[in-house]
Amino acid sequence: MTMKNPLAKTAVLLAGMYVFLTWILPLFTAPLPASLIYLYLALTVAAAAIFYTMSGAGLDDFMGPIGRFLTGEGHAGATGTARLVVFALFPLLVGWQTYAKLAPSDMPPAENRTIHPAPPGEFVGLANPFPRTPGNIATGQGLYAAYCSPCHGGNFDGKGPASVGFNPPPANFSDPGTIAQLQESYLFWRIKKGGVGLPVEGMPWKSAMPRWEKELTDERIWKIIMGEYAGAGQSPRTWEEEE
Amino acid sequence: MGRERIVNVALGAAVLAAGAGAVPALADESTPAAGAGSSVSIRLHLTDEALPGADPYAAAWDTIRPSEFQLAPQVHWPDRIQEVTVKSVKVRGMHNGEELAMLLEYADPSEDAADAAALEFMVGERKAHFAHGQEMLQVEGGPVNIWYWTHAAGNAVDMSAKGFKTLRPQTQQDVSATGAWRDGVWRVVFSRRLNTDDARDVRITPGEWTNVAFAVWDGQIVDGAVKEQGSQKAVSSWWYVRAEPPPDASIYGYVALGIALAAGFEWLLVRKIRRGNAA
């Protein structure tokens, strides 16, 4: 049996899109948020409606079944019952949605943390004063192992033995979205001043990053930065690339 | 008629799919994530009964589903610790409009005199750093109120801090606590009035969110020394607590209004189409 009715085709297309977006797409990439799936489905419906209602005949084909369903014309027996069930369910769904929006929730207010806020002016554009020699890198990696790896991990992946339970979690330096996107001067600021040095949008009251200037000299911090990039297999962002 | 039937089935399926899709979408928005250590808040359940403030094993506690929060070693400032005994805490709470009780539950293999646990709250409008409200460089922070229970004392001390080395017991003590260790599990219940007349205390107002954090010390003696004490402890980040507000009957009015509007819309739509067809 071939389906000629445009409404039925739209419904099948919609179901196919839902299955694709919900179950098939996540096999290849991160799952989509529910709100985005509904947006895509709404766009599918809108596109189908425009496509099928371009002509008068198409409009009748598309809207006719909907109109007959709503008025009950030609609906007897089982389809008549189905029609009444749909009519009864719709107000209940609206009522339930209203309740869900108004009922007391255990979800606290949303917090929008800026992960890499702008550093204070005195740190912008600082360059690592130490040459990138094997000796300096080795010194930096030794210091990293002692001071940083418990949280940021021996593999530079943010999964050190003490990392579990922190919110926000320790940064994963092997991720191309962290230190590879930043300049050495940015790391110097974040290591030196720690979580408490963040501006308000960085939510300094939550970060467990120590204020290392209390315990480490500038020289040691610069060498740690060198060892961190080398160990994570990343390169710092430089001014040249910005232009 | 076969075509009509297909259309009807498709329409029904679409309505069902929309409904089924709405269920997980709504659930995601209104309940905290389930699973070990992934809660974001604690609800202090409103009750008419007397609170089990002195009994960590009262049956009333088992009627409440606990929130669970992971703990991390305190690595923020010296003296650090790299590994801790207690990895997570389960927290339950209730209030009766006057007083509140919060139950901390965690696994600790041994009962030791130096075992201890604490709740920390932000006080006032300003955000406080979770490490005893220590100084933040670009943000003016606020103080914290800490309820510190020790097994040795058998009670809690009501304390304040704003920065390192400022933690002091308050002159006015408003908190009490009782702990009981059974089969490798500590249960410690803290109680206090929702509001005190002490400006250094956290104010718990039903319906309003307050930041809370947790700390636990394993007082086991290892090689002649207490394993975890002072800054060497298991800590959590800031999470949220809210005392459940009194039930608001107006919600049901809005629900009824929503149902009436939807039904009215259906009726108007059908009537308009029928009139259009008749014309």
Side-chain angles (χ1 to χ4, degrees):
Chain A
M1 187 173 64
T2 54
M3 278 186 295
K4 296 220 171 98
N5 187 282
L7 195 63
K9 284 183 189 167
T10 305
V12 170
L13 178 67
L14 208 55
M17 279 292 281
Y18 184 78
V19 168
F20 173 74
L21 294 171
T22 311
W23 288 293
I24 298 177
L25 200 63
L27 297 178
F28 305 103
T29 179
L32 297 179
S35 55
L36 195 57
I37 291 178
Y38 275 80
L39 178 71
Y40 286 144
L41 294 184
L43 286 173
T44 307
V45 171
I50 291 168
F51 180 79
Y52 286 122
T53 57
M54 296 287 270
S55 71
L59 185 67
D60 282 346
D61 277 351
F62 192 80
M63 296 304 292
I66 297 178
R68 285 192 289 282
F69 183 82
L70 288 172
T71 58
E73 184 193 327
H75 286 73
T79 61
T81 312
R83 173 176 173 271
L84 291 178
V85 168
V86 168
F87 269 63
L89 279 180
F90 175 66
L92 291 178
L93 190 66
V94 170
W96 178 42
Q97 293 266 11
T98 310
Y99 179 79
K101 286 279 176 217
L102 295 176
S105 149
D106 286 334
M107 210 54 170
E111 292 176 332
N112 291 318
R113 183 173 72 99
T114 301
I115 295 175
H116 296 138
E122 68 260 36
F123 288 92
V124 175
L126 293 182
N128 197 325
F130 298 94
R132 201 172 301 275
T133 61
N136 282 341
I137 291 173
T139 305
Q141 291 194 331
L143 292 166
Y144 175 91
Y147 291 96
C148 318
S149 72
C151 294
H152 293 285
N155 297 325
F156 304 87
D157 56 4
K159 295 195 171 70
S163 67
V164 179
F166 286 113
N167 175 37
N172 170 1
F173 302 136
S174 60
D175 183 315
T178 61
I179 57 173
Q181 299 290 326
L182 300 166
Q183 298 170 6
E184 284 183 285
S185 58
Y186 189 94
L187 273 70
F188 184 67
W189 167 54
R190 295 289 285 111
I191 296 171
K192 202 170 153 80
K193 299 295 180 184
V196 295
L198 289 166
V200 67
E201 66 270 24
M203 298 193 185
W205 50 89
K206 282 193 161 183
S207 172
M209 176 73 180
R211 185 178 172 184
W212 285 112
E213 67 179 343
K214 300 276 192 189
E215 298 170 65
L216 296 171
T217 60
D218 284 1
E219 176 177 344
R220 289 183 137 198
I221 293 175
W222 281 121
K223 287 180 177 171
I224 285 172
I225 293 170
M226 222 180 275
E228 208 169 277
Y229 276 107
Q234 309 281 5
S235 301
R237 194 167 176 177
T238 59
W239 284 108
E240 288 72 38
E241 283 171 4
E242 300 258 300
E243 285 156 10
Chain B
M1 237 41 245
R3 212 172 66 174
E4 284 287 301
R5 182 154 301 193
I6 291 168
V7 171
N8 281 321
V9 169
L11 267 180
V15 169
L16 285 179
V23 174
L26 288 171
D28 286 349
E29 279 172 27
S30 58
T31 53
S38 56
S39 301
V40 293
S41 72
I42 304 143
R43 183 195 301 198
L44 304 183
H45 292 257
L46 180 60
T47 175
D48 299 331
E49 319 270 316
L51 299 180
D55 184 1
Y57 280 90
W61 289 117
D62 297 322
T63 63
I64 296 175
R65 193 174 64 144
S67 301
E68 187 166 6
F69 304 92
Q70 287 185 325
L71 300 182
Q74 192 293 110
V75 294
H76 184 62
W77 74 99
D79 295 327
R80 299 189 171 84
I81 187 169
Q82 306 279 329
E83 195 176 346
V84 287
T85 303
V86 180
K87 308 283 197 264
S88 72
V89 285
K90 287 181 182 166
V91 189
R92 297 169 172 91
M94 42 181 115
H95 79 100
N96 58 14
E98 290 288 318
E99 294 177 308
L100 69 88
M102 287 177 74
L103 177 74
L104 235 58
E105 177 181 331
Y106 57 90
D108 178 354
S110 61
E111 180 183 6
D112 307 289
D115 282 345
L119 299 178
E120 178 184 56
F121 301 89
M122 287 190 197
V123 178
E125 294 300 310
R126 290 208 173 97
K127 294 283 188 188
H129 193 275
F130 80 92
H132 291 191
Q134 75 153 299
E135 181 197 12
M136 293 178 280
L137 305 179
Q138 299 196 51
V139 180
E140 165 106 45
V144 294
N145 182 196
I146 292 175
W147 304 353
Y148 177 53
W149 165 86
T150 53
H151 183 30
N155 204 351
V157 186
D158 192 2
M159 307 177 89
S160 286
K162 191 182 174 186
F164 292 137
K165 316 267 184 208
T166 64
L167 182 65
R168 300 280 183 278
Q170 296 179 358
T171 46
Q172 180 180 320
Q173 291 291 307
D174 298 289
V175 182
S176 63
T178 307
W181 186 90
R182 280 188 199 169
D183 302 327
V185 173
W186 267 113
R187 275 189 168 202
V188 183
V189 57
F190 294 83
S191 38
R192 205 201 69 178
R193 296 170 56 76
L194 285 181
N195 284 307
T196 66
D197 52 9
D198 187 344
R200 292 152 67 90
D201 283 343
V202 60
R203 295 179 66 84
I204 304 285
T205 306
E208 289 181 13
W209 295 102
T210 303
N211 282 102
V212 63
F214 314 96
V216 172
W217 293 258
D218 176 12
Q220 195 188 351
I221 306 293
V222 178
D223 299 331
V226 175
K227 184 169 178 274
E228 298 172 12
Q229 59 181 330
S231 65
Q232 298 189 313
K233 58 185 169 182
V235 294
S236 83
S237 298
W238 283 123
W239 299 104
Y240 283 94
V241 61
R242 183 169 73 160
E244 190 175 21
D248 180 1
S250 72
I251 290 176
Y252 299 102
Y254 287 113
V255 170
L257 183 65
I259 292 175
L261 283 173
F265 170 73
E266 285 180 338
W267 180 75
L268 277 175
L269 190 67
V270 170
R271 197 179 72 146
K272 182 167 171 53
I273 295 173
R274 279 186 176 153
R275 286 195 172 168
N277 289 347

